[in-house]
Amino acid sequence: MNNGSTAIIKVSGLTRVYRRGSTVVSALRGVDVCVLPGERVAIMGPSGCGKSTLLGLIGGLDRPTAGTIILAGHDLASCSRPDLARLRRETVGYVPQNAALLPMLTVEENVELPLAILGAEATARRIRVREMLDRVGMDTKARALPEELSGGQQQRVAIARALVARPQVLLADEPAGSLDTLTARSVLELIAEEAGRDNAALVLVTHEHDEAQYAGRVIRMRDGQVLASETGR
């Protein structure tokens, strides 16, 4: 395991238990994970093994039943709701399986939104948005609405949006899961390339072996536990 003292993400003894009626579901059972700054990590395993639950906890979208999460030096359990929201905005970029773009906003407005929320100056926002759209090959679609784009194009916009504020951590939850093979490959290559360019730690959730090749390390999960951590390419 990596040295936790230098980790951008350090998860220790993480447990998450849900109740569904009278049924108790142990989504995570004592998970330990460390991710270094700039590292590319894929979390693999079958559906229901706890991959997305772990990603959501790392991103501060949910609270664990037990265990600790240190994100960029902050213990998430000790953060107030406003502090946690601020930490997410300033530290984490997120690419979901479906792009989840706001349908009433143009491509450039969707990408600009994180910067506007952070209070960045308008001219600086526009320059950064144009830079990101150019990097993901969507500069000619800046004024388009999401409904005018293909699935792959929407994911490219989602990548630009996730990285526009220069996050330290990029979380990607099966970002190519709804795409055809060729489009999926181009999107995953783009995520790995752009995360590397910004030196963001990448945590990629997938159940596809081919997709794990874009990571330097693969964490394998089953039944809410980490089975192995292996060096990738």
Side-chain angles (χ1 to χ4, degrees), residues 109-129:
E109 288 169 341
N110 268 281
V111 176
E112 184 181 7
L113 191 58
L115 295 176
I117 292 172
L118 286 171
E121 189 270 331
T123 300
R125 294 201 310 257
R126 287 193 292 270
I127 292 171
R128 177 62 176 165
V129 168

Side-chain angles (χ1 to χ4, degrees), residues 104-160:
M104 74 293 295
L105 299 183
T106 64
V107 164
E108 62 185 356
E109 288 169 341
N110 268 281
V111 176
E112 184 181 7
L113 191 58
L115 295 176
I117 292 172
L118 286 171
E121 189 270 331
T123 300
R125 294 201 310 257
R126 287 193 292 270
I127 292 171
R128 177 62 176 165
V129 168
R130 287 291 179 172
E131 175 191 355
M132 286 306 308
L133 289 178
D134 181 63
R135 278 168 52 171
V136 302
M138 292 298 294
D139 49 308
T140 62
K141 298 288 187 179
R143 301 298 177 88
L145 291 171
E147 65 182 12
E148 301 174 68
L149 307 178
S150 67
Q153 288 174 327
Q154 290 188 27
Q155 283 300 74
R156 286 175 174 269
V157 176
I159 294 166

